[in-house]
């Protein structure tokens, strides 16, 4: 094929002449040269006198800014009062600093945002994403809601009814059932992580006094870190932060509870008669964030099940068509990490799907991946990091995750080189931390059809099948 | 719909990121900046429309190919076919056999996906910018010579069958309201069939069907190519000409009539969902034609009625009456936004509620909100707030992980309007909306006789009312 290559330096005109005389696509793919380096956006962190940390991340050109207050509390500090943190955070939007819920919502909307509250396991957030010229107002609103919630009794019954309705719906979703069962089995019911659902009587008894007391005991400057990312004037923002948060009481230090996961093997079954699919959750302990095994485990995960070109996905989706939605992931919490595989597979293919999953795990344990596949996965993880950290909101999440997990300040800068440095052997070593004889497995499905399939699996021989119910 | 989203969703909705945007410096507390997406637009002699948008935010590029074929237009005995075909296009092409396309992107450090919507099917990837030329070559190979045979068809019928099972058959509420509501509200088959597909029809598709579908709709003249991010305009244009310019010009696509008559009577349907524990209530209204002044007004009406906790329906249904815990809704909800479709469309909203709230009470509460907007002019303050929310939401659409929202907006304005620069005039369109136009639009489009109500009776909790029709399955 003879082609005229258009000059690459020609000024681009809107109607450039065709520089092509080919009749078909060149069959040889063009090369992929080395990627450009990725520079982690700069950020500045400082501490207020009361111990609250502040991180500013100037980023981008769109006139918007994210203001996110992350407080190190959540279900971890609930004791036996499951869902108390979630209900408390939700109620904080219902009135604060003398404002009604309607006034709060209207103020937020006038800034171009909506107030988002979220109670996690160890971190809870009050966040808003606004137009740049309203950044200082947004800081004030977040401060009011975080520091001075009113917990109006008049709204409580309604908000609790919403939670109950959400719970009822969640309990009809197989994914929710699987997650609740696996969490309970793995962490045990004596740890907040394992107590995923309250009883109706227990939840019904939470009153405004209880919410107020929990907020007072768990919210404060020392446990909090404010992140502001986007376009804003740093000097104006710093003054607004001091004014809004400088007077906040220091409050308690962060309190974590060590976990003591139950070692497998455990096999738990939930019956869903007539279900067209089985929902599978497979869990193993993983190396903690920042430990030597952390980054190799992430690369291993991408290769095994965590990416679209992973071995498990290519096998049970792209080759066999058993499932649409296979996936695996590493979840990192302070003091704890787990690797999870999940999939919704056609009922008749439940046993065969697990056979393939176990086979892929064993193969990776036995033999390090070849250079091409391993290099591809290292590059995938490095590239994904660049893609995921190119928005203000994502940068807030990444930095907040780094800080919450106690990772060093230069963790972002070191992530790409560390990922590219993982060896093929380390990938295989990481897979060895998924010992099949220690698995925790949950399957939600039509038990009369799938139990015989599971009994036929050699990996499950001799393991007691426990049929459980959720709640 | 092609695959699970591998790019982690952000916990913070739509953080502000400048993607291909130049905004006048927005120092804090200054006058609001106006958005301007910088771009180049040209059309190849074979009809392929190309949008290039350069930015310097991160060393990545986003490549999207949008074909002017959505799930409205699929063969009558083959519901779900447009979506099944989208899956087939990930299964290999002449110079990139099965698996190569996906592993090339992954190994370069990128992600990919595709989706099927009302009026387009898109395929996109986000990659480090060094991989741009390879991506253009891969997409050209897929545009010109996909490999579709019995083996990949059978495999993807299994995958798509599982997709329908996980999202519909094994889920409470299943097709409600996102498929049920358009099926009820529309009369033209193209707008009123189950576009996710009946399992038996998905399983009946043949390789011949796929070849015919490809020949009908997959051609340069029915496609838009968007490249956004870390690019050089001239070099990118040269690559596009090299890899796409050789493709012959095909006869234009013939699309059927998808118009809907003006609705003149309210419609109502109920069905029992055997997995749903709580009743559900949804309503949809036909909206003004895309791009008209009334359509801009409808966009602001959507902001005032259902977007955010300050919206009127939220205040009434959630905060004041406690009927619902949340209300979700919008134009082209939940599969898209008010910009990315071309044809008849609904503005809709839905919520679940407890069984002790009667449908009469619910309808009265909804009507109180809707009728107030139809009969009383909105205040300038409320209209300004709606515009602020719209601007902010537009920035968030354009912004976002991987520039996916940006390329979507550019692509649909190239595909449906042949003018991606219209993206830069959207704010002006909303600025022109007056309280009078809001009222006029509400009068015509929020008529009860332009409404379809679709309710769910919970299968586990109570039997359906005797009068209820069974629909949607």
């Amino acid at each position: 094929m003879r082609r005229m290559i258009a000059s690459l330096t020609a000024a681009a005109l809107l109607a450039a002449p065709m520089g092509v005389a080919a009749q078909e696509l060149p069959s040889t793919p063009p090369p992929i040269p080395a990627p450009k380096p990725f520079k982690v956006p700069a950020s500045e962190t400082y501490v207020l006198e009361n111990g609250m940390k502040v991180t500013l991340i100037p980023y981008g050109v769109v006139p918007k800014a994210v203001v996110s207050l992350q407080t190190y509390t959540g279900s971890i500090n609930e004791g036996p009062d499951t869902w108390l943190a979630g209900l408390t955070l939700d109620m904080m939007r219902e009135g604060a600093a003398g404002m009604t819920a309607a006034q709060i919502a209207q103020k937020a909307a006038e800034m171009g945002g909506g107030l988002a509250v979220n109670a996690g396991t160890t971190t809870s957030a009050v966040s808003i994403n606004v137009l740049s010229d309203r950044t200082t107002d947004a800081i004030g609103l977040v401060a009011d809601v975080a520091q001075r919630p009113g917990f109006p009794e008049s709204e409580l019954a309604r908000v609790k009814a919403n939670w109950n309705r959400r719970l009822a719906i969640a309990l009809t979703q197989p994914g929710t059932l699987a997650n609740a069962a696996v969490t309970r089995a793995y962490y045990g019911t004596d740890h907040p992580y394992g107590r995923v659902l309250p009883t109706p009587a227990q939840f019904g008894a939470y009153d405004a006094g209880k919410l107020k007391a929990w907020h007072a005991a768990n919210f404060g400057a020392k446990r909090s870190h404010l992140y502001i990312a986007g376009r804003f004037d740093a000097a104006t923002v710093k003054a607004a932060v001091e004014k809004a948060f400088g007077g906040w009481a220091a409050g308690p230090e962060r309190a974590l509870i060590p976990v003591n996961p139950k070692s497998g093997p455990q096999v738990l079954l939930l019956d869903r008669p007539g279900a067209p699919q089985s929902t599978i959750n497979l869990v193993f302990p993983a190396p903690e964030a920042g430990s030597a095994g952390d980054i190799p485990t992430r690369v291993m995960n991408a290769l095994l099940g965590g990416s679209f070109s992973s071995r498990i996905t290519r096998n049970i989706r792209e080759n066999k068509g058993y499932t649409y939605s296979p996936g695996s992931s590493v979840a990192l919490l302070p003091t704890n990490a787990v690797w999870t595989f999940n999939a919704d597979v056609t009922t008749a293919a439940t046993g065969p799907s697990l056979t393939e999953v176990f086979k892929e795990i064993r193969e990776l344990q036995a033999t390090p991946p070849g250079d091409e596949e391993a290099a591809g996965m290292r590059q995938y993880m490095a590239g994904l990091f660049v893609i995921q950290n190119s928005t203000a909101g994502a940068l807030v999440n990444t930095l907040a995750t780094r800080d919450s997990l106690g990772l060093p300040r230069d963790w972002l800068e070191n992530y790409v080189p560390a990922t590219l440095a993982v060896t093929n052997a380390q990938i295989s070593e990481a897979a060895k931390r998924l010992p099949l004889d220690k698995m925790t497995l949950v399957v939600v499905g039509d038990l009369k059809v799938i139990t015989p399939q599971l009994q036929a699996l050699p990996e499950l021989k001799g393991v007691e099948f426990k049929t459980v119910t959720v709640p | 719909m092609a695959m699970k989203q591998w790019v982690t969703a952000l916990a913070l909705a739509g953080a502000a990121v400048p993607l291909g945007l130049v905004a006048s410096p927005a120092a804090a507390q200054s006058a609001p900046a106006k958005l301007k997406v910088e771009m180049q637009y040209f059309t190849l002699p074979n009809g392929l429309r190309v949008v290039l948008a350069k930015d310097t935010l991160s060393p990545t590029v986003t490549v999207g190919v949008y074909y002017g074929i959505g799930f409205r237009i699929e063969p009558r005995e083959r519901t779900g076919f447009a979506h099944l075909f989208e899956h087939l296009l990930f299964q290999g092409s002449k110079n990139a056999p099965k698996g190569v396309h996906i592993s090339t992107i992954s190994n370069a450090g990128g992600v990919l996906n595709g989706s099927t919507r009302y009026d387009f099917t898109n395929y996109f990837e986000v990659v480090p910018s060094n991989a741009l030329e390879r991506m253009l070559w891969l997409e050209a190979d897929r545009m010109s010579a996909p490999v579709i045979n019995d083996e990949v068809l059978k495999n993807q019928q299994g995958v798509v069958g599982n997709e329908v099972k996980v999202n519909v058959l094994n889920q409470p509420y299943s097709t409600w309201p996102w498929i049920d509501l358009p099926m009820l509200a529309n009369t033209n088959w193209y707008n009123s069939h189950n576009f996710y597909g009946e399992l038996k029809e998905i399983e009946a598709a043949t390789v011949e069907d796929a070849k015919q579908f490809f020949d009908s709709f997959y051609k340069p003249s029915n496609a838009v190519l968007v490249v956004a991010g870390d690019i050089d305009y001239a070099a990118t244009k040269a690559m596009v000409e090299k890899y796409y310019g050789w493709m012959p010009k095909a006869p234009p696509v013939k699309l059927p009539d998808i118009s809907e008559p003006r609705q003149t009577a309210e419609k109502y349907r109920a069905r029992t969902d055997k997995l749903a524990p709580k009743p559900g209530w949804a309503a949809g209204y036909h909206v003004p034609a895309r791009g008209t002044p009334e359509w801009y007004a409808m966009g602001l009406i959507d902001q005032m009625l259902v977007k955010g906790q300050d919206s009127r329906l939220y205040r009434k249904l959630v905060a004041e009456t406690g009927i619902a815990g949340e209300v979700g809704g919008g134009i082209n909800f939940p599969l898209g936004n008010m910009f990315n479709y071309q044809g008849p469309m609904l503005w809709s909203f839905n919520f679940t509620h407890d069984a002790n709230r009667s449908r009469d009470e619910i309808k009265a509460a909804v009507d109180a909100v809707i009728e107030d907007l139809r009969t009383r002019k909105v205040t300038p303050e409320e209209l300004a707030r709606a515009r602020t929310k719209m601007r902010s939401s537009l920035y968030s659409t354009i912004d976002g992980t991987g520039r996916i929202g940006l390329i979507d907006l550019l692509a649909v304005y190239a595909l449906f309007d042949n003018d991606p620069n219209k993206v830069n005039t959207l704010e002006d369109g909303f600025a022109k909306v007056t309280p009078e136009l809001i009222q006029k639009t509400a009068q015509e489009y929020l008529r009860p006789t332009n409404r379809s109500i679709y309710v769910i009776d919970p299968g586990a909790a109570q039997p359906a009312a005797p009068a209820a029709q069974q629909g949607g399955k």
Side-chain angles (χ1 to χ4, degrees):
Chain A
M1 262 170 296
R2 286 176 33 229
R3 289 184 308 274
M4 282 166 44
I5 308 277
S7 160
L8 300 192
T9 52
L13 301 168
L14 278 183
M18 290 289 299
V20 180
Q23 292 309 302
E24 59 176 34
L25 190 73
S27 58
T28 309
I32 301 179
K36 290 183 187 175
F38 168 61
K39 203 169 170 319
V40 176
S43 63
E44 175 193 358
T45 297
Y46 63 99
V47 187
L48 303 185
E49 272 183 35
N50 54 11
M52 188 178 97
K53 289 187 173 141
V54 184
T55 296
L56 307 184
I57 313 152
Y59 189 76
V61 292
V62 165
K64 287 196 75 174
V66 174
V67 176
S68 178
L69 181 77
Q70 310 260 337
T71 302
Y72 297 134
T73 188
S75 54
I76 188 83
N77 304 126
E78 281 173 337
D81 298 325
T82 305
W83 279 19
L84 181 59
L87 182 62
T88 302
L89 267 287
D90 207 9
M91 278 295 293
M92 284 161 68
R93 280 191 301 196
E94 297 292 336
M99 293 177 287
T100 64
Q103 289 167 325
I104 292 173
Q106 194 161 316
K107 269 193 163 192
E110 282 161 0
M111 303 173 196
L115 204 62
V117 293
N118 177 56
T121 46
T122 61
T123 304
S124 296
V126 179
S127 310
I128 191 165
N129 180 358
V130 298
L131 294 165
S132 282
D133 53 356
R134 305 301 301 274
T135 308
T136 54
D137 300 330
I139 292 165
L141 186 63
V142 168
D144 278 339
V145 168
Q147 296 172 44
R148 290 174 286 279
F151 300 110
E153 195 76 64
S154 58
E155 310 298 322
L156 188 57
R158 176 178 61 77
V159 173
K160 278 162 77 173
N162 296 341
W163 279 75
N164 278 321
R165 199 162 40 242
R166 279 199 290 266
L167 173 64
I169 292 167
L171 288 175
T172 62
Q173 297 164 329
T176 306
L177 301 174
N179 177 262
V182 85
T183 311
R184 203 151 59 188
Y186 184 78
Y187 292 109
T189 49
D190 54 353
H191 192 283
Y193 291 177
R195 290 191 292 253
V196 281
L197 302 167
T199 67
Q202 174 191 8
F203 184 72
Y206 300 163
D207 60 14
K210 199 173 180 76
L211 302 188
K212 272 185 196 144
W214 191 83
H215 174 267
N218 289 290
F219 267 72
K222 258 196 284 193
R223 275 188 183 182
S224 297
H225 195 144
L226 181 71
Y227 297 83
I228 299 169
R231 279 186 60 85
F232 50 85
D233 178 79
T236 315
V237 159
K238 283 180 181 176
V241 169
E242 181 57 45
K243 182 166 167 259
F245 288 96
W248 196 9
E253 294 284 355
R254 185 180 192 179
L256 292 167
I257 304 168
V259 296
N260 183 19
K262 188 170 173 192
S263 176
Q266 295 193 82
V267 177
L268 304 143
L269 307 179
L270 275 87
D271 198 12
R272 193 170 170 83
Q277 283 179 321
S278 298
T279 303
I280 296 169
N281 269 221
L282 178 66
V283 172
F284 291 96
E288 285 188 20
S291 69
D294 176 6
I295 302 278
T297 298
R298 298 183 199 216
V299 178
M300 179 279 291
N301 172 63
L303 185 141
L304 181 62
S307 70
F308 193 67
S309 48
S310 66
R311 292 181 177 188
I312 292 175
T313 302
R314 277 183 291 154
N315 179 339
I316 64 175
R317 174 177 153 145
E318 292 299 283
N319 183 0
K320 302 208 169 56
Y322 292 159
T323 176
Y324 163 70
S325 49
S328 69
S329 58
V330 184
L332 298 157
L333 290 166
T335 74
N336 176 57
V338 292
W339 179 86
T340 305
F341 167 79
N342 57 66
D344 295 85
V345 305
T346 287
T347 299
T350 306
S353 295
L354 281 167
T355 295
E356 297 303 321
V357 171
F358 297 150
K359 188 184 89 184
E360 295 293 356
I361 291 174
R362 265 199 309 268
E363 281 187 9
L364 190 57
Q365 289 169 340
T367 314
D371 285 340
E372 191 188 344
E373 187 185 17
M377 283 300 161
R378 290 188 281 266
Q379 200 61 56
Y380 170 74
M381 292 300 284
L384 197 61
F385 185 80
V386 177
I387 292 165
Q388 288 179 332
N389 287 296
S390 55
T391 71
L395 285 165
V396 166
N397 283 341
T398 302
L399 291 174
T401 301
R402 173 198 69 185
D403 298 339
S404 155
L405 294 172
L407 296 165
R409 271 199 57 77
D410 60 0
W411 189 83
L412 269 77
E413 287 74 9
N414 291 336
Y415 179 87
V416 168
T419 299
L420 296 174
V422 171
T423 66
N424 304 4
Q426 282 176 316
I427 294 174
S428 190
E429 287 303 311
K432 287 178 187 161
R433 287 190 282 264
L434 312 174
L436 290 177
D437 58 349
K438 296 276 194 292
M439 75 171 88
T440 298
L441 172 69
V442 167
V443 187
V444 180
D446 192 347
L447 294 191
K448 67 179 183 302
V449 179
I450 65 172
T451 303
Q453 296 179 38
L454 298 173
Q455 283 165 336
L457 297 172
E459 293 84 357
L460 305 185
K461 276 280 177 289
V463 184
E464 183 200 354
F465 289 8
K466 265 193 252 161
T467 302
V468 297
T469 54
V470 172
Chain B
M1 284 193 190
M3 54 194 73
K4 274 176 42 170
Q5 192 52 276
W6 299 105
V7 177
T8 315
L10 301 182
L12 291 164
V17 175
L19 293 169
L21 302 175
V22 180
S24 54
Q29 318 297 358
S30 68
K34 259 197 69 177
L35 205 61
K36 173 128 182 43
V37 180
E38 187 207 310
M39 70 184 82
Q40 290 191 3
Y41 182 52
F42 57 95
T43 303
L44 298 184
N46 59 16
L48 180 71
R49 284 155 285 175
V50 184
V51 191
L52 310 180
K54 179 183 168 72
D55 70 50
T56 53
L57 272 155
S58 77
T60 59
V61 290
T62 306
V63 177
V65 184
Y66 279 61
Y67 293 93
I69 169 67
F71 51 58
R72 277 193 229 259
I73 316 289
E74 49 195 6
R76 273 182 187 252
E77 305 302 316
R78 291 281 182 267
T79 55
F81 193 81
H83 169 232
L84 175 64
F85 189 85
E86 174 223 319
H87 275 250
L88 296 177
L89 274 215
F90 286 91
Q91 295 299 305
S93 52
K94 183 176 154 192
N95 297 298
K98 175 162 172 151
V100 170
H101 185 106
I102 292 164
S103 65
T104 301
I105 291 167
S106 175
N107 293 350
V111 294
L112 73 160
N113 213 331
S115 51
T116 312
R117 293 295 182 259
Y118 275 93
D119 301 296
F120 64 79
T121 306
N122 70 348
Y123 303 85
F124 60 88
E125 44 271 341
V126 189
V127 293
S129 50
N130 55 301
L132 170 62
E133 189 171 3
R134 177 71 68 89
M135 293 307 117
L136 293 171
W137 179 87
L138 276 173
E139 287 295 358
D141 203 42
R142 163 151 79 171
M143 185 182 287
S144 54
V147 172
I148 297 167
N149 53 34
D150 281 319
E151 190 187 347
V152 302
L153 177 63
K154 191 165 177 297
N155 163 246
Q156 289 304 307
Q157 281 168 320
V159 172
V160 172
N162 272 296
E163 183 179 350
V164 171
K165 286 171 195 165
V166 74
N167 288 334
V168 172
L169 303 177
N170 204 24
Q171 282 300 324
Y173 305 100
S174 68
T175 51
W176 179 85
W178 58 298
I179 296 174
D180 293 334
L181 205 48
M183 286 179 78
L184 172 65
N186 292 312
T187 55
N188 183 329
W189 181 89
Y190 288 108
N191 307 316
S192 64
H193 69 276
N194 175 0
F195 50 77
Y196 220 174
E198 304 299 335
L199 269 187
K200 62 179 188 306
E201 293 188 24
I202 292 170
E203 282 157 7
T206 65
V207 170
E208 194 44 48
D209 293 335
K211 289 209 161 86
Q212 209 174 346
F213 194 78
F214 176 79
D215 290 338
S216 305
F217 301 111
Y218 280 75
K219 43 184 110 180
S221 58
N222 196 36
V224 168
L225 168 67
V226 186
V227 185
D230 175 29
I231 60 169
D232 175 280
Y233 280 123
T236 307
K237 189 171 187 202
M239 289 179 216
V240 169
E241 285 169 345
K242 175 177 173 181
Y243 296 122
Y244 297 83
W246 63 271
M247 295 181 199
K249 190 174 174 75
V253 167
K254 282 184 59 119
L255 292 176
D257 174 14
I258 58 169
S259 63
E260 284 290 328
R262 182 175 184 269
Q263 189 177 334
T264 55
E266 183 169 270
K267 297 178 180 181
Y268 178 85
R269 184 170 295 170
R271 74 170 166 85
T272 302
D273 187 304
K274 67 182 194 311
L275 297 176
K278 297 283 178 183
W281 203 96
Y285 300 74
H286 300 279
V287 300
R290 181 174 167 272
T292 57
E294 290 80 7
W295 171 84
Y296 281 105
M298 195 71 211
L300 295 178
I301 286 173
D302 172 45
Q303 292 290 339
M304 288 186 270
L305 289 184
V306 81
K307 288 291 194 287
Q309 298 202 327
D310 66 309
S311 65
R312 294 186 183 202
L313 283 167
Y314 182 93
R315 299 313 314 161
K316 173 66 99 181
L317 296 171
V318 179
E320 290 165 28
T321 60
I323 289 168
E326 50 266 319
V327 184
I331 298 168
N332 193 11
F333 178 84
L335 288 177
N337 56 39
M338 71 179 287
F339 309 106
N340 60 5
Y341 70 91
Q342 177 70 313
M345 188 46 70
L346 299 176
W347 173 72
S348 68
F349 59 92
N350 70 82
F351 51 90
T352 56
H353 59 92
D354 286 332
N356 61 0
R357 309 306 285 261
S358 78
R359 298 224 158 107
D360 289 345
E361 179 195 7
I362 291 170
K363 199 168 169 190
V366 167
D367 283 341
V369 171
I370 302 283
E371 288 309 308
D372 185 74
L373 192 74
R374 296 183 71 225
T375 52
R376 287 200 312 141
K377 278 201 180 58
V378 297
T379 62
E381 292 74 26
E382 190 179 10
L383 189 55
R385 199 165 73 234
R387 263 197 277 270
T388 298
K389 287 196 285 181
M390 176 57 84
R391 256 182 66 224
S392 196
S393 137
L394 196 55
Y395 295 171
S396 290
T397 298
I398 281 177
D399 160 19
T401 298
R403 305 181 190 87
I404 289 162
L406 171 69
I407 66 153
D408 188 68
L409 216 47
L410 296 174
V412 298
Y413 274 95
L415 193 61
F416 304 139
D417 306 74
N418 193 22
D419 185 7
N421 278 292
K422 267 199 177 164
V423 168
N424 290 323
T425 68
L426 293 175
E427 281 183 73
D428 300 337
F430 293 113
K432 288 185 187 132
V433 175
T434 60
E436 291 72 23
L437 184 61
I438 293 281
Q439 189 172 357
K440 179 176 162 244
T441 305
Q443 271 295 325
E444 166 60 10
Y445 291 95
L446 297 181
R447 281 177 290 120
T449 49
N450 187 36
R451 173 165 67 186
S452 301
I453 296 172
Y454 203 122
V455 299
I456 291 291
D457 292 314
Q462 57 184 57
Q469 303 172 44
Q470 298 299 305
K473 280 289 183 194

